[in-house]
Amino acid sequence: MPWPRLTPALAVDATLEAKIDKILAQMSVEEKVGQMIQPEIKQVTAQDIKDYHLGSVLNGGGSVPNNDRYAKASDWVALADSFFDAAADCSDGKVYVPIMWGTDAVHGVGNVVGATLFPHNIALGATHNPELIRDIGEVTAREIAAIGIDWDFSPTVAVARDDRWGRTYESYSEDPEIVRAYAGQMVEGLQGAVDSGEFLSEQHVIATAKHFIGDGGTLNGIDRGDCVDDEQALCDIHGAGYFSAIESGVQSVMASFNSWHDEKLHGHQYLLTTVLKDKLGFDGLVVGDWNGHGFIEGAEVLNCPQAINAGLDIFMVPDPDWKVLFNNTVEQIKSGVIDAARADDAVRRILRVKLRAGLFERGKPSSRPLAGRDELIGAAAHRDVARRAVRESLVMLKNKNNLLPLSPKQRVLVTGDGADNLSKQAGGWSVTWQGTGTDKRDFPGATSVYDGLAASVQAAGGEIELSETGDYSVKPDVAIMVWGESAYAEMQGDVQNLLFKEGGGRDWALLKKFKAEGIPVVSLFITGRPMWVNREINASDAFVAIWQPGTEGAGVADVIFTRADGELNHPMKGKLTFSWPRTPDQVPLNRGDDDYNPLFAYGYGLAYGEADTLGDDLPEEYDAGADTLDELLVFNRRPIEPYQIMVRGRQNDKQLMQGNRVEVSSICVTAIDREVQEDARRAQWNGSGVGLVALTTRDRQVLVDYLDSDGALIFDVKVDAAPSQSVTLRLGCGPDSNSDLDITDTVQALAGNGWAQVRVPLRLFPDVGSDFGLELPPEEFFHRILEPFTLVTEGELDLSFSRVALEKGAATGLAGIEVI
């Protein structure tokens, strides 16, 4: 075996182990299983915690107390108190074991409105500053403690090896050396150093190294896919972060969704037990990921002895029927299907972590020194650390004629859809799981990139104008364009290649406009991974990757502007920890590859005053072939940019879906799990009047090629309750300008039959009429589609939909609607 034998961060404590023995001896099987079950806060009550002896709960991305996005620290603490009191109620004779609450705070406390959000890990890697990482961990711990929570599902120590992976931005580097250097520092920041009096004090929280193991090394960068690296590479590359995390005393490790050589990690006894626990000497607890145990071959979410036997200690089970898993696990231990000694070991590890964290002695959350202190959420000192991280993370790829740094005394035009866009700059895991459906109200106290630019210019006596479209009243001396990737998170961020497609060339066109007008232009590129943006680099005089800077966008201005007196304000010091591709399909691309030939190598990053020989002649042509939308995805686990989910009720009360639930007068839509977390949407009409759910976009889309090629609208659907009135499938291009197709018979036939795929030839949609007398032929109508998928009914209906796409040629040979 290639795995090292690590020196334990914490020596065996005989007194602590004796306490564990005493507690275990008093526990029934039911009490033990309660420690091994972790439901989601939306699916559990305080009474459940008491009745089922639950040892932990979690809140998923976007899940908040009382379903109130704007819940205060006191609201979080009040809920934590109720859980604490329920666990402390031993009136039924059970032994007292405190509960702990886990949350994903992967770049700050993303679920809490107003929290300090740091640049994502890819940006932190570019700082090459492990000490800064420790400071970030300490700030994050304090803000978690302020909401009464004990446990952070962080740090992510993945080594991303294929940048098509949608979680690339959660990785510090493609190089395991950087990840190893950072992981231990983040653990110490969150938990405190093991050799200090700060270890797991009330200023700190339990940390989690995740996701064990190989999540960044899957084939083709597919999230939750298969890692086929040999064991030596698994150890040397993907194990690096775990080595330093364990050496720093990390108390929790999260199992990964992915497989290693086709065996799911949640059920991988060799890796979870032989390697992690025995060889590496990890004596903390192993927690699962969101229903991840249900993907083990032969297992189910609610029936999974394989995971515990393999070495999982806690089921993360957000399923509403988690009590079935509880009962099944109890029975399996009693019958011997789950080895009783293995179950005891799982509980021993959970108790060990709780004892080390002082939870048995600690009072209820509201009694703790930081709990409920709203002033700690986004505190000025915390934001200062985040702003420093932004400054140190910027990577300059081009600086023609030393355009940067800029004088703030100039006339400056700021443009691009990312300039004053806190959602875009924060990225995923920011208020909501995917980071979508948010606006300025969700980031109080934050500064957008534009806010920082404006403050610098105005303080120096310059002039600044903000125009997303690039129009200006007076010709500027320089244009600063902020643009790039919109927010995304796991699964939904996977891409087929690294060609930047968002905006359909809009950003390139705007850059070329400035070039034609003789205006020097600085590109500030928001991104979660290196991307092929040759055209945009050529059209820019200076090009800076600002990654996803989080809430402190003003840190960008600190670097790109000089002081008013012309002296340097802050240096440009970031260096790439990911190699930048020469072509969109140059993946995987990692330092040390035999054929390594990137556009910008690992470690590249211009400093101020350094000669730039790049030029404006990078190759701009790329034949995307089949990637040029023979199939147009509209919904695939989430609405695909630029589409959003919109609902409208009988009272014409219209809302965009900005979280995992939206409700208007006659329809409610919720995010549900079909195959993976929140990859489908359930629409429930209450029968009180007309209601609709639509995939909609602000800008009209030209989709006539799909009509001309005998294309079809294809969607996966499940009907749980048949419609009480007719159902319409609609294409829309504006108010009262729709093409409606009656699909009632199809929907009725699907009722109660599970998931099916429906193919609707686009030629079946009738010519478009309007209450205003407007009539559009199909060709013209398909040049202006706003809503390529809408379902409408006035009656009751319970229907879920998943993948939605338009596909060229898919209707060939079809006379009507086809159900597969």
Side-chain angles (χ1 to χ4, degrees):
M1 291 191 298
W3 304 91
R5 185 167 297 279
L6 303 177
T7 301
L10 294 163
V12 175
D13 183 334
T15 301
L16 183 144
E17 296 302 318
K19 289 180 181 178
I20 296 172
D21 290 338
K22 183 176 180 180
I23 296 169
L24 267 175
Q26 300 175 65
M27 296 177 76
S28 66
V29 172
E30 288 78 7
E31 289 172 79
K32 292 174 182 178
V33 172
Q35 294 299 307
M36 298 158 64
I37 299 285
Q38 184 183 78
E40 212 275 343
I41 62 170
K42 290 185 295 187
Q43 310 294 348
V44 70
T45 66
Q47 189 64 43
D48 289 333
I49 288 167
K50 178 180 183 299
D51 292 344
Y52 289 86
H53 323 294
L54 295 178
S56 63
V57 295
L58 83 146
N59 65 289
S63 182
V64 293
N66 308 314
N67 206 30
D68 178 10
R69 178 182 289 189
Y70 304 102
K72 297 295 185 182
S74 57
D75 299 315
W76 289 83
V77 172
L79 185 57
D81 272 358
S82 72
F83 295 159
F84 178 94
D85 289 339
D89 183 350
C90 299
S91 58
D92 59 358
K94 70 176 183 178
V95 61
Y96 172 60
V97 179
I99 193 168
M100 56 187 178
W101 181 344
T103 191
D104 285 287
V106 297
H107 71 134
V109 194
N111 280 298
V112 178
V113 167
T116 307
L117 298 185
F118 298 89
H120 274 292
N121 286 357
I122 190 171
L124 300 181
T127 70
H128 294 266
N129 187 347
E131 292 74 22
L132 173 62
I133 304 307
R134 179 170 178 160
D135 292 345
I136 290 170
E138 290 177 347
V139 168
T140 302
R142 285 197 292 271
E143 295 201 11
I144 293 173
I147 59 172
I149 289 181
D150 322 280
W151 185 7
D152 183 14
F153 300 140
S154 169
T156 300
V157 299
V159 182
R161 303 290 284 179
D162 189 323
D163 299 344
R164 291 174 291 184
W165 186 38
R167 302 188 83 154
T168 295
Y169 66 82
E170 292 191 58
S171 175
Y172 297 118
S173 178
E174 70 190 35
D175 190 318
E177 291 180 14
I178 294 287
V179 178
R180 182 166 187 167
Y182 276 26
Q185 291 292 319
M186 182 60 82
V187 168
E188 286 200 0
L190 289 166
Q191 293 189 163
V194 294
D195 56 357
S196 74
E198 288 297 303
F199 181 64
L200 290 175
S201 72
E202 292 185 331
Q203 303 278 332
H204 293 87
V205 296
I206 298 161
T208 306
K210 68 181 188 183
H211 309 84
F212 192 80
I213 186 174
D215 50 344
T218 58
L219 279 173
N220 301 317
I222 295 173
D223 192 56
R224 308 185 179 190
D226 190 27
C227 177
V228 297
D229 289 352
D230 62 27
E231 189 170 357
Q232 189 69 58
L234 192 71
C235 171
D236 294 346
I237 296 173
H238 302 290
Y242 296 96
F243 302 157
S244 63
I246 291 170
E247 288 169 335
S248 295
V250 73
Q251 291 299 291
S252 172
V253 168
M254 183 179 288
S256 186
F257 271 108
N258 66 277
S259 305
W260 184 53
H261 293 270
D262 289 324
E263 185 175 349
K264 288 292 183 183
L265 262 298
H266 276 70
H268 208 299
Q269 185 171 16
Y270 173 70
L271 289 175
L272 290 183
T273 298
T274 304
V275 170
L276 177 61
K277 295 180 175 179
D278 297 342
K279 184 68 174 177
L280 299 182
F282 174 66
D283 65 357
L285 66 86
V286 176
V287 63
D289 205 345
W290 191 278
N291 281 339
H293 56 279
F295 292 87
I296 299 171
E297 184 174 359
E300 300 173 1
V301 168
L302 303 178
N303 185 5
C304 189
Q306 297 96 322
I308 301 299
N309 284 333
L312 194 75
D313 300 318
I314 297 178
F315 289 113
M316 183 186 288
V317 55
D319 193 283
D321 294 325
W322 59 265
K323 294 172 186 176
V324 175
L325 178 64
F326 175 94
N327 291 327
N328 283 337
T329 305
V330 168
E331 177 56 35
Q332 288 156 359
I333 293 173
K334 290 181 175 179
S335 67
V337 172
I338 293 175
D339 181 71
R342 166 76 272 272
D344 279 356
D345 175 63
V347 180
R348 173 177 293 276
R349 289 170 175 274
I350 297 164
L351 295 173
R352 183 181 294 130
V353 171
K354 291 182 176 184
L355 284 163
R356 283 175 174 169
L359 297 184
F360 278 84
E361 296 78 31
R362 203 168 288 175
K364 66 170 57 180
S366 59
S367 71
R368 300 170 192 172
L370 302 186
R373 292 177 56 184
D374 281 311
E375 70 272 16
L376 291 177
I377 305 299
H382 297 175
R383 293 186 184 276
D384 286 345
V385 175
R387 187 164 176 167
R388 175 159 57 100
V390 174
R391 289 197 298 262
E392 296 187 21
S393 69
L394 308 184
V395 178
M396 185 163 61
L397 303 180
K398 182 178 182 180
N399 195 19
K400 186 177 179 181
N401 299 323
N402 284 312
L403 176 61
L404 292 176
L406 299 170
S407 167
K409 293 184 175 182
Q410 299 182 85
R411 181 180 294 118
V412 179
L413 174 69
V414 182
T415 186
D417 68 346
D420 197 27
N421 189 332
L422 290 164
S423 300
K424 195 176 185 95
Q425 75 181 48
W429 296 102
S430 302
V431 182
T432 65
W433 172 39
Q434 293 286 325
T436 56
T438 59
D439 56 35
K440 277 195 170 184
R441 294 171 298 176
D442 299 308
F443 302 97
T447 54
S448 69
V449 174
Y450 171 72
D451 290 334
L453 300 174
S456 294
V457 172
Q458 290 163 359
E463 298 178 22
I464 191 164
E465 182 176 359
L466 175 65
S467 169
E468 184 174 323
T469 61
D471 299 324
Y472 48 83
S473 54
V474 179
K475 186 175 180 179
D477 298 316
V478 65
I480 300 173
M481 185 164 150
V482 191
W483 55 284
E485 289 193 297
S486 293
Y488 55 83
E490 59 188 292
M491 299 179 292
Q492 302 180 13
D494 289 0
V495 293
Q496 292 178 322
N497 59 45
L498 299 180
L499 175 67
F500 178 74
K501 303 171 185 172
E502 191 168 319
R506 172 190 61 213
D507 304 300
W508 183 43
L510 191 50
L511 289 166
K512 289 194 299 180
K513 168 184 177 290
F514 294 129
K515 196 175 187 74
E517 294 169 352
I519 300 171
V521 61
V522 177
S523 272
L524 302 178
F525 185 44
I526 296 173
T527 187
R529 55 188 142 211
M531 302 203 77
W532 194 75
V533 285
N534 282 14
R535 301 182 308 176
E536 292 83 357
I537 293 175
N538 283 342
S540 304
D541 294 283
F543 193 99
V544 181
I546 67 171
W547 313 111
Q548 297 149 317
T551 54
E552 309 315 302
V556 177
D558 292 344
V559 179
I560 71 164
F561 283 123
T562 65
R563 298 201 302 254
D565 62 7
E567 293 297 314
L568 188 66
N569 190 20
H570 289 278
M572 182 75 70
K573 58 191 300 186
K575 306 292 181 185
L576 294 176
T577 53
F578 284 86
S579 306
W580 202 279
R582 188 170 293 276
T583 62
D585 52 6
Q586 193 181 19
V587 285
L589 175 65
N590 298 293
R591 182 169 73 151
D593 291 349
D594 291 339
D595 55 350
Y596 188 65
N597 184 30
L599 178 61
F600 301 111
Y602 181 98
Y604 183 86
L606 293 169
Y608 284 145
E610 188 173 351
D612 177 11
T613 59
L614 186 62
D616 300 331
D617 56 355
L618 295 174
E620 295 186 352
E621 298 302 318
Y622 171 66
D623 182 8
D627 294 332
T628 57
L629 305 184
D630 282 340
E631 177 187 65
L632 174 67
L633 282 173
V634 181
F635 183 98
N636 186 27
R637 300 174 178 163
R638 67 165 180 167
I640 303 301
E641 179 78 22
Y643 296 100
Q644 296 177 278
I645 291 177
M646 181 267 289
V647 296
R648 190 170 71 220
R650 70 181 188 280
Q651 299 172 348
N652 203 30
D653 42 346
K654 181 172 71 173
Q655 288 191 38
L656 292 174
M657 191 171 187
Q658 296 183 326
N660 52 25
R661 185 179 187 276
V662 63
E663 184 172 7
V664 292
S665 54
S666 48
I667 181 173
C668 175
V669 177
T670 53
I672 62 168
D673 299 353
R674 178 188 177 186
E675 296 175 345
V676 294
Q677 182 181 351
E678 296 189 359
D679 63 342
R681 300 294 182 268
R682 181 183 185 184
Q684 295 170 285
W685 286 261
N686 60 27
S688 64
V690 65
L692 66 81
V693 56
L695 286 160
T696 185
T697 179
R698 181 184 65 181
D699 302 314
R700 289 184 168 88
Q701 306 295 304
V702 178
L703 303 179
V704 69
D705 286 349
Y706 296 90
L707 175 69
D708 291 344
S709 65
D710 203 16
L713 174 62
I714 304 172
F715 54 96
D716 291 356
V717 65
K718 178 167 70 80
V719 181
D720 287 325
S724 61
Q725 296 192 44
S726 62
V727 181
T728 296
L729 179 63
R730 171 176 293 170
L731 302 178
C733 70
D736 297 302
S737 184
N738 306 309
S739 182
D740 288 350
L741 182 66
D742 190 311
I743 60 167
T744 308
D745 291 346
T746 301
V747 175
Q748 286 179 334
L750 289 170
N753 291 321
W755 284 97
Q757 185 183 87
V758 177
R759 293 175 170 248
V760 182
L762 295 175
R763 55 181 143 78
L764 296 183
F765 287 91
D767 292 0
V768 180
S770 167
D771 291 345
F772 302 107
L774 174 68
E775 292 187 0
L776 296 174
E779 291 78 12
E780 188 173 347
F781 176 71
F782 274 86
H783 273 89
R784 53 180 72 191
I785 297 290
L786 288 171
E787 296 166 1
F789 176 79
T790 306
L791 293 169
V792 189
T793 187
E794 295 186 15
E796 295 182 50
L797 174 61
D798 188 345
L799 174 151
S800 300
F801 64 90
S802 182
R803 194 174 188 275
V804 181
L806 283 85
E807 184 176 333
K808 296 178 182 177
T812 302
L814 296 183
I817 296 174
E818 180 181 61
V819 177
I820 300 175

